Amino acid sequence: MTEKNSDALRKLDELRGSLDGLGHLIGGEIVRGTATFTVTAPWIDEPLGESPEAQEAELEAAVRAARAAQPAWAATSGEERTAILLSIADAIEANAERIGDVLAAETGKPLRIARGEPMGAAAHIRYFAALEPAEEVIKDDDVERIIVVREPLGVVASITPWNGPLLMLANKVATALRCGNTVVAKPSPFTPFSSLLFGEIVRDLVPAGVINVIAGGDAIGQALTQHPEVDMVSFTGSIRAGQAITAQSAEGLKRLQLELGGNDAAVVLPDVDVDEVAERIYRGAFALSGQICAAIKRLYVHEDIIDDLTDALVEIAERQQLGSPWDPETTMGPLTTRPQYERVLGLINNAVDGGATLRTGGETIEHGGFFITPAIVTGVDHGVPLVDEEQFGPALPIMSFTDVEEVLERVNGTQYGLGGSVWSQDIDQAVAIARRIESGSAWINRHPHVGADVPFGGMKLSGVGREGGPESYEEFTAAKTISILK
């Protein structure tokens, strides 16, 4: 066993003890329950700990608590809600190191990135805390006054992914609460501990039942989305899961906000400075080991510069240091789940078996975890799963083009429509091309760009609704028209 692996095992033993006391937050109480499931540390492929697993009784109790608390919460003033949300942001910041350690352990993110996530979550909560609903005046004359106000929906089910567990939870919970809703949150079973720790931290900062957090697998998630007392489902995850949620919630006609998968294309025009953009394009594709829904998943480069840009990306990829979150030399962590690790390896091998060229990467390493070296793949095109599907991992297919019209047809010839980007020194031309990309977001000389103040969501099968920005208030409320005859 190497010295680094020994250090990782020692850290694993330290962490296990700190996770033992975590439980569901239900009606203001921490509930451990009797059922558990094993969570794996992806950076060493060893058990990280036993998470409590919610059963039907815990789910029912959580939804009942949220329903009971909602009228009083909705009756609080906007100022009161804002103050409570700001206290939650402060508490997350105060516990950033502890939360970051848990995030690193369950996701495999390098520690500096994991400890940055709570700080980002706190900043997002502060943004949503400041949201103010606008009363829209439709008409106001001598005869009548017609206004539109926003009303809370009720109980929101928040179902979050494994790649950004705390940040996604913070976005959904903060928006729902600011709008007067209460929440039952369910994190991914691959990364439950940071969300359960969030529940522990906020327990005494909100009235009992306003925030509930339960951990479990697909069965409890399905029961939550189908529950008759849930009024809205806010979900971030795969297209397949989003389609299932749509079907499961149909009987109750629940409000849905679904941020689903993407197969984002980046189009690089021949006038770019390769040395200037290569690092940004690399980060856009490989940040968090490619496990970002809005990462660059397909790279189309003009034939005049494709060789130079490919060489630059290969050089950057070969500089990366893969390792555990606790190694300060680590620049890239593992994939967070074994299924995703196996899927990405399969996509890479399938492309190579079909004649693609693996310029670098695509290899496993002996760290005992779910590591794949960043893969740059050329000689590939549409019709290959690595190009046609969302790989969600450290693999980037690079393709050439000569004509803008032709490349736009290829970019848009997909069921996905989350994000896309254009890279050029001619901003007007880049904007004109970006407007024709069929996606919820389009960026110029950057990819991606998301934040609490930026509306984000997909077209086509990449989702419905938007998260972030002032539109968040509309997503988590219902419009009520009040007509007054004077």
Side-chain angles (χ1 to χ4, degrees):
M1 179 180 295
T2 67
E3 183 179 345
K4 288 186 176 181
N5 275 355
S6 296
D7 291 342
L9 284 171
R10 282 194 293 271
K11 187 63 181 180
L12 186 62
D13 287 338
E14 293 175 16
L15 287 163
R16 284 171 175 157
S18 69
L19 301 174
D20 287 344
L22 294 176
H24 315 292
L25 175 62
I26 300 175
E29 301 294 330
I30 301 298
V31 178
R32 181 71 188 180
T34 56
T36 64
F37 61 94
T38 303
V39 178
T40 299
W43 40 280
I44 199 167
D45 192 16
E46 294 280 349
L48 174 61
E50 292 295 312
S51 170
E53 182 173 19
Q55 304 297 296
E56 183 178 352
E58 284 93 5
L59 170 64
E60 289 295 331
V63 175
R64 284 199 306 270
R67 175 60 66 195
Q70 197 275 326
W73 179 250
T76 61
S77 67
E79 291 79 5
E80 289 177 89
R81 295 180 215 157
T82 294
I84 288 174
L85 286 170
L86 292 177
S87 71
I88 291 174
D90 291 343
I92 289 174
E93 279 191 345
N95 289 275
E97 183 173 328
R98 182 185 176 199
I99 299 171
D101 284 359
V102 172
L103 281 166
E106 65 184 2
T107 67
K109 297 176 183 179
L111 188 58
R112 66 184 182 284
I113 297 174
R115 287 183 175 174
E117 186 169 332
M119 306 305 287
H124 282 212
I125 291 171
R126 291 194 177 98
Y127 171 83
F128 293 119
L131 280 179
E132 289 291 344
E135 180 181 289
E136 183 180 1
V137 179
I138 302 297
K139 187 176 183 181
D140 192 5
D141 57 23
D142 293 339
V143 176
E144 61 184 351
R145 176 178 171 84
I146 302 174
I147 61 174
V148 177
V149 297
R150 309 298 305 191
E151 299 286 338
L153 296 167
V155 176
V156 174
S158 164
I159 302 179
T160 47
W162 44 259
N163 61 330
L166 184 70
L167 189 63
M168 296 297 101
L169 179 66
N171 286 346
K172 297 178 189 303
V173 169
T175 313
L177 264 60
R178 181 61 186 83
C179 294
N181 305 292
T182 53
V183 174
V184 179
K186 192 200 85 69
S188 164
F190 291 105
T191 56
F193 291 124
S194 54
S195 296
L196 296 176
L197 179 56
F198 170 86
E200 177 185 290
I201 290 169
V202 305
R203 172 187 176 186
D204 296 326
L205 300 178
V206 296
V210 170
I211 298 176
N212 305 271
V213 183
I214 57 173
D218 292 344
I220 207 69
Q222 179 176 340
L224 178 59
T225 59
Q226 291 177 318
H227 200 287
E229 292 297 318
V230 168
D231 302 291
M232 175 184 179
V233 179
S234 177
F235 170 79
T236 299
S238 71
I239 288 175
R240 185 176 63 180
Q243 290 169 325
I245 287 170
T246 301
Q248 293 159 10
S249 61
E251 184 175 349
L253 293 179
K254 302 180 190 305
R255 175 76 66 87
L256 297 179
Q257 186 224 3
L258 308 174
E259 194 268 280
L260 307 178
N263 191 6
D264 288 15
V267 177
V268 186
L269 300 184
D271 64 343
V272 301
D273 183 329
V274 168
D275 292 334
E276 180 185 348
V277 303
E279 285 279 359
R280 275 181 280 152
I281 290 174
Y282 181 87
R283 289 196 303 272
F286 290 99
L288 294 185
S289 303
Q291 299 173 115
I292 297 176
C293 56
I296 298 172
K297 311 268 190 345
R298 298 176 285 154
L299 185 61
Y300 299 89
V301 186
H302 193 275
E303 63 178 5
D304 289 352
I305 60 168
I306 188 169
D307 290 340
D308 290 342
L309 182 54
T310 301
D311 289 345
L313 294 172
V314 167
E315 190 276 328
I316 296 168
E318 291 179 345
R319 293 202 310 258
Q320 304 309 306
Q321 297 293 316
L322 279 64
S324 86
W326 323 107
D327 184 347
E329 296 179 2
T330 295
T331 63
M332 182 175 171
L335 283 89
T336 297
T337 79
R338 176 176 285 281
Q340 193 61 22
Y341 165 75
E342 293 174 347
R343 181 174 185 276
V344 174
L345 281 177
L347 289 172
I348 295 170
N349 293 334
N350 170 269
V352 172
D353 291 344
T357 299
L358 188 60
R359 286 291 307 272
T360 190
E363 300 174 341
T364 59
I365 61 174
E366 295 182 5
H367 275 289
F370 307 142
F371 292 93
I372 303 174
T373 55
I376 305 291
V377 183
T378 60
V380 69
D381 212 326
H382 291 242
V384 176
L386 182 66
V387 176
D388 294 347
E389 301 176 11
E390 179 186 31
Q391 63 270 59
F392 213 75
L396 179 64
I398 303 178
M399 296 159 284
S400 68
F401 74 93
T402 58
D403 178 72
V404 168
E405 295 300 321
E406 178 265 339
V407 78
L408 277 171
E409 184 176 343
R410 293 159 70 193
V411 166
N412 291 332
T414 174
Q415 64 182 347
Y416 299 93
L418 192 56
S421 62
V422 182
W423 301 73
S424 174
Q425 296 187 51
D426 185 337
I427 300 302
D428 290 340
Q429 182 188 20
V431 170
I433 295 171
R435 289 176 68 91
R436 297 176 61 191
I437 294 177
E438 296 169 356
S439 59
S441 296
W443 305 289
I444 309 299
N445 296 327
R446 68 198 323 180
H447 193 139
H449 176 233
V450 296
D453 58 339
V454 179
F456 182 70
M459 297 170 61
K460 300 182 179 179
L461 293 187
S462 287
V464 294
R466 293 294 180 266
E467 188 168 79
E471 283 84 351
S472 295
Y473 217 107
E474 297 181 7
E475 294 289 340
F476 284 79
T477 57
K480 175 184 285 187
T481 303
I482 299 177
S483 178
I484 304 161
L485 181 64
K486 295 183 179 178

